[in-house]
Structures are given as C-alpha cells and as structure tokens.
Amino acid sequence: EIVLTQSPATLSLSPGERATLSCRASQSINSYLAWYQQKPGQAPRLLIYDTSNRATGIPARFSGSGSGTDFTLTISSLEPEDFAVYYCQQRSNWLTFGGGTQVEI
Amino acid sequence: QVQLQESGPGLVKPSETLSLTCSISGGSISDYYWSWIRQPPGKGLDWIGYIFFSGNTNYNPSLKSRVTISLDTSKNQFSLNLSSVTAADTAVYYCARERWLYGVDVWSRGTTVTVSS
C-alpha cells in the first residue's frame, strides 16, 4: 500500500503570501497525483490532477509539481477563500489520500 | 452537469449493515469509476472502494471483507453495503466520480451516518 505523508500539518499564513504544501509518497508513483481543497461542511473540490494540471475553473494561482515520491502544491498568493484543508491523493491500484494540510490565517 | 445524491439511513445499529445508494443525474455512467469515500468526524478522507462502469470492483484492503459496491445502470445508481458496522464506521459518506488520470471530479454533498444503539 502506498502511504502519502503531507507536511506541514498546519500552515499559518496571511492573505497575499505564498503557500507551499508538500506530499511525499512511500514509494515512487506515476504522475497520477491529485490535490483537493476542502472547506468546513463541504465536500472536497478537485484542484489539480496528474500532478500539474488544473481542474476546470481552478484559478491560475494554484499550481502543482513534482515527480517520483515528492510533490508540491503551490498557491502563489493566498486569497481569503483559500484558507482551507488540502489533501493529496494517488491512484495506483486503488486510491489513497494524504492526511491533509490545514492552511490557516 | 453531473450531480450525485446519496440516500439511506443516517443511523445504523452496531453489527448491522450500512446501506447507501448514490443517484447519478445529468451524465452517463460509462467510462468512469464510481467511488465511495468517507470522512470520520474531524479526520481525513478514507477511500472505501469503487465500481467501474463495466462492473469491475476494487476495495480498500482494510475494509474488503465487509464491503460490497454494486451498480444499477438501468436506474443510474450505485450502492454501498458495509456489514458488521461499529462506532468506528461513523462518518460522512461521499459518493464520487473518477475518470482515470483526471481525478475525482464530482462529489456528492455527503451524508452523515452514525453507528449507535
């Protein structure tokens, strides 16, 4: 089973700052890594698929990168609505999610 | 625009079977993986399993002995049965659509299921 470890658990930043979220896999995975945003009381929303492709309607300030076992989600300049929990997810034989990073003000 | 809506009881007794159905509207079942994902209170996301439109299934190994996911193409629905539930199965349950390599792009709103006597 591939385990995804996200860091940091909590990221405290201000609007306008850059956020860098990390996701590390326990073994090398193909480029199939996705990122999701979840706000309280809501379902997750797909942000990035296949490591670096933005989903439909996702602003350009969100970008993904990485390969092998190390992946990154970058939010170039935080907007007030970006404060939320972010999950990475891989798809080998089945799906697994990382533990999440909370981006807080 | 595809929408997913779960239905089923919000309270299940310990040792009984949790049963949920997800109704798909506004789109086709074909070419997608249809998943159940849950989120215990205050915790992260836990994938339960999926069924492909062809009927092939795959389950989380930690739940495999208790899970069955089925598909009814005539009704555009898929269902989850989770047997022998305990309090640890209390969670918000989501049904969701995945396209290979394109991520889980459609989610239901989620339904809370509590396991309690």
Side-chain angles (χ1 to χ4, degrees):
Chain A
E1 178 187 350
I2 297 174
V3 176
L4 298 178
T5 301
Q6 290 188 242
S7 62
T10 303
L11 197 53
S12 299
L13 294 168
S14 300
E17 289 193 298
R18 182 184 188 90
T20 303
L21 286 67
S22 174
C23 178
R24 176 164 290 179
S26 59
Q27 59 186 275
S28 181
I29 60 177
N30 291 331
S31 62
Y32 190 82
L33 188 98
W35 291 92
Y36 301 83
Q37 176 194 68
Q38 188 178 32
K39 297 179 180 179
Q42 297 184 15
R45 176 175 70 143
L46 177 67
L47 299 175
I48 301 286
Y49 65 89
D50 203 21
T51 297
S52 59
N53 296 282
R54 278 189 300 277
T56 302
I58 302 303
R61 64 181 181 272
F62 291 92
S63 63
S65 63
S67 64
T69 60
D70 292 310
F71 298 86
T72 301
L73 174 70
T74 301
I75 311 171
S76 59
S77 178
L78 284 163
E79 297 288 339
E81 63 267 28
D82 298 337
F83 292 90
V85 179
Y86 293 82
Y87 295 96
C88 58
Q89 171 246 319
Q90 68 83 28
R91 179 64 148 90
S92 56
N93 190 30
W94 55 80
L95 287 75
T96 56
F97 292 90
T101 290
Q102 174 147 19
V103 178
E104 64 176 25
I105 297 179
Chain B
Q1 182 173 343
V2 176
Q3 292 187 318
L4 305 177
Q5 176 66 57
E6 324 92 339
S7 57
L11 180 64
V12 182
K13 290 182 168 56
S15 80
E16 294 190 346
T17 295
L18 181 161
S19 295
L20 295 172
T21 296
C22 183
S23 298
I24 305 162
S25 59
S28 170
I29 279 184
S30 298
D31 298 326
Y32 294 103
Y33 294 84
W34 301 95
S35 277
W36 288 96
I37 297 165
R38 69 182 183 179
Q39 187 168 35
K43 296 189 178 181
L45 300 166
D46 185 26
W47 173 73
I48 298 169
Y50 65 64
I51 187 163
F52 193 43
F53 79 101
S54 63
N56 292 339
T57 56
N58 201 358
Y59 302 133
N60 186 321
S62 67
L63 299 170
K64 189 172 184 176
S65 63
R66 299 195 289 131
V67 173
T68 303
I69 297 176
S70 58
L71 182 64
D72 187 336
T73 55
S74 66
K75 294 182 178 179
N76 256 28
Q77 293 177 337
F78 64 107
S79 298
L80 167 69
N81 279 348
L82 180 66
S83 64
S84 304
V85 296
T86 69
D89 295 308
T90 293
V92 174
Y93 284 75
Y94 298 100
C95 55
R97 183 186 84 169
E98 181 204 8
R99 188 155 62 111
W100 176 250
L101 297 183
Y102 287 84
V104 181
D105 63 342
V106 180
W107 297 70
S108 65
R109 287 192 171 188
T111 187
T112 299
V113 178
T114 301
V115 178
S116 175
S117 56

